[in-house]
Amino acid sequence: MKTPLDPRHKKREKLVEDLFKVEFHNQPVTQETKEILSHKDFIDQAIQKVAVDFPIGKINKVDLAILRLAVYELLVEKKEPPKVIIDEAIELAKEYGGETSSSFINGVLGNIIKHEPTKTKK
């Protein structure tokens, strides 16, 4: 029998879903997703700085949604320890991404932790 998922994991799944769908459609999203998207330029710059071989437009859209959520949590929100955020992003990548998604996301987030300054919340 499957154990129920952690409510935080379910919440992150919904946020990744919203972040993914806004790449394709102008659909209603949660207020929390809007908050993440209000930092999109900062988040994308942080990703681009450490993933120089992968322009934002070329990153798989699911991976990008996961990265945007994780970078927001790491650099803007800062409510959870970095290890928890990275582990959760890797789990989401294993569930929704491609064969190499989890290692790509782990590498990008690990480099962000090493090199990126944090941003204060609005």
Side-chain angles (χ1 to χ4, degrees):
M1 185 155 95
K2 242 181 160 179
T3 58
L5 288 176
D6 179 326
R8 293 169 295 187
H9 182 81
K10 298 285 285 170
K11 179 180 168 189
R12 284 184 176 108
E13 285 179 330
K14 173 65 175 130
L15 288 168
V16 166
E17 217 176 270
D18 277 359
L19 291 168
F20 176 78
K21 75 181 178 184
V22 297
E23 287 296 310
F24 300 101
H25 307 287
N26 187 12
Q27 294 184 22
V29 293
T30 65
Q31 188 57 42
E32 192 166 2
T33 302
K34 289 177 186 175
E35 172 64 20
I36 295 166
L37 291 171
S38 76
H39 298 278
K40 184 177 167 192
D41 289 341
F42 172 77
I43 292 167
D44 287 357
Q45 286 172 7
I47 294 167
Q48 198 60 81
K49 190 182 252 182
V50 299
V52 292
D53 294 336
F54 300 92
I56 292 293
K58 299 291 183 189
I59 296 174
N60 172 309
K61 298 299 184 206
V62 171
D63 293 354
L64 185 57
I66 295 166
L67 283 171
R68 284 179 173 156
L69 172 58
V71 172
Y72 173 79
E73 289 182 332
L74 286 169
L75 302 182
V76 180
E77 191 174 53
K78 299 183 269 185
K79 289 183 181 175
E80 302 276 342
K83 183 177 179 0
V84 170
I85 295 167
I86 292 171
D87 286 349
E88 185 67 25
I90 291 167
E91 286 307 310
L92 289 166
K94 287 177 181 176
E95 286 179 55
Y96 298 104
E99 196 174 298
T100 60
S101 293
S102 59
S103 59
F104 173 69
I105 286 171
N106 185 41
V108 170
L109 296 177
N111 283 327
I112 283 175
I113 291 298
K114 284 187 226 170
H115 303 296
E116 194 61 37
T118 58
K119 178 180 183 176
T120 55
K121 241 179 137 171
K122 285 182 183 176

